[in-house]
Amino acid sequence: MIEIRELVKQYKTNKLDVTAVDHVNLDIASGKIFGIIGFSGAGKSTLVRLLNYLEVPTSGDVIIDGENMGELSRVHLRRKRQKVSMVFQHFNLLWSRTVLQNIMFPLEIAGVRRQSAKARALDLVKLVGLEGKENAYPSELSGGQKQRVGIARALANEPSVLLCDEATSALDPQTTDEILDLLVKIKKERDLTIVIITHEMQVIRRICDEVAVMENGKVIEQGNVAEVFENPQHEVTRRFVKDDLNDEVEGPIDEYVDIKDNDYVIKLTFTGSATTEPVVSYITRTLNIDVNILEASVRHTQQGALGFLIIHLADLNTDDFDNFISDLEQRGIQVEVIRHG
């Protein structure tokens, strides 16, 4: 369990004081993947560095598994950091060391005997899918392989918490998906708590259980990922969700369809089991309404599927349309009117 209480981080300069993290309060449950998202300058990377005291807070508390990080002695803080490990955006590998030597490095610092350290490192090489690359140097690896080394190295001291600071932002989309799948696998096998810092909502959607959205150092929204996607409360969150779902028709609607009197263009939003229901067939056959599909998509979260459908309904009187909305909402489908002729 990670408890963050009234956490503040201020930087003083000659001209002004900057508050990078502004009275943040969060609870992150053990064994979960928790995402923190925000645009550049939101304070998310500073926040994650406060969790293992790579940055010391100006005020507030970070409590991990019952231990207040700010109350630990230097010796105990170093030991605690071994259990709160970090994966970096640009890998931070030692270029003069091989894959195996990079993974063994934190074990050497921790005083683990070389034979035991090597055995543990070889197990981690297998875990992250780098068999055959043990003796390769970082310059011989792809970006995804380098990040796999970084993840293996972060796991060397068998942490309970893994902090990932923009761990996929330097990777191409396919490699990003592979690294995200690896993190999910590791979380399940090692019962880890993972905190992911990102500016990409698709990362949050694909693997996170919960999310906090940051702006100007503050957490402006947080909650279950599926719920946040389904009903974002703040403009920043809505921008992230819209960019990921791409849930609108490109260009003016009039380019797609001729809107006449009593016509409607609506967006249907589905979550969970509703995404697999034959909604269009239900509308046309049961409700006897003709449907023109303009746009559709389904995305997947850790809590289930999330989808949308933008459709055109022709020549529908007000009573019939009200009954139509009521019927669909009873089936767990949200209805939003985009255009009414």
Side-chain angles (χ1 to χ4, degrees), residues 4 21-22 40 65 116 134 163 177 286 328:
I4 302 171
V21 174
D22 191 355
S40 296
D65 295 331
S116 297
E134 294 87 347
L163 308 176
D177 288 344
T286 306
L328 290 188

Side-chain angles (χ1 to χ4, degrees), residues 41-241:
K44 56 190 186 297
S45 289
T46 301
L47 176 59
V48 78
R49 292 172 68 86
L50 292 171
L51 297 187
N52 61 359
Y53 264 55
L54 288 179
E55 293 274 1
V56 178
T58 303
S59 62
D61 297 298
V62 176
I63 303 166
I64 300 180
D65 295 331
E67 293 185 295
N68 192 317
M69 299 291 282
E71 296 176 356
L72 300 178
S73 67
R74 289 187 178 182
V75 172
H76 284 97
L77 181 58
R78 284 197 296 269
R79 291 176 183 169
K80 188 67 175 179
R81 283 196 185 119
Q82 292 175 1
K83 301 303 179 182
V84 186
S85 198
M86 197 158 187
V87 180
F88 300 92
Q89 176 181 2
H90 296 296
F91 321 126
N92 285 13
L93 302 181
L94 299 171
W95 295 86
S96 61
R97 285 179 169 240
T98 65
V99 166
L100 197 63
Q101 291 168 343
N102 264 282
I103 299 171
M104 291 174 61
F105 183 63
L107 296 171
E108 295 172 11
I109 295 175
V112 178
R113 295 178 59 183
R114 179 174 176 79
Q115 186 174 357
S116 297
K118 184 176 181 180
R120 192 181 301 178
L122 286 170
D123 286 341
L124 289 169
V125 165
K126 183 177 181 180
L127 176 68
V128 300
L130 287 176
E131 299 98 322
K133 297 290 185 180
E134 294 87 347
N135 297 316
Y137 288 89
S139 60
E140 302 173 295
L141 303 177
S142 67
Q145 290 171 333
K146 291 173 188 173
Q147 196 56 285
R148 288 173 186 268
V149 178
I151 292 170
R153 181 186 58 188
L155 296 173
N157 279 310
E158 300 178 335
S160 60
V161 176
L162 188 64
L163 308 176
C164 301
D165 187 7
E166 299 279 9
T168 60
S169 64
L171 306 175
D172 62 76
Q174 179 177 339
T175 306
T176 291
D177 288 344
E178 293 171 357
I179 294 298
L180 295 178
D181 290 342
L182 175 62
L183 289 174
V184 172
K185 171 189 172 185
I186 290 170
K187 191 269 288 189
K188 292 178 180 178
E189 292 184 2
R190 306 250 163 165
D191 195 28
L192 282 173
T193 302
I194 300 179
V195 180
I196 292 183
I197 301 299
T198 185
H199 63 274
E200 300 171 298
M201 201 63 171
Q202 68 99 4
V203 171
I204 300 293
R205 172 177 51 76
R206 283 204 65 214
I207 71 168
C208 293
D209 300 297
E210 297 183 34
V211 60
V213 183
M214 291 191 70
E215 183 182 33
N216 297 326
K218 296 178 180 289
V219 171
I220 59 172
E221 186 167 355
Q222 67 182 93
N224 174 284
V225 169
E227 292 174 356
V228 170
F229 264 82
E230 183 180 356
N231 189 27
Q233 297 297 305
H234 290 263
E235 179 58 30
V236 169
T237 313
R238 286 192 285 268
R239 286 174 62 188
F240 277 121
V241 170

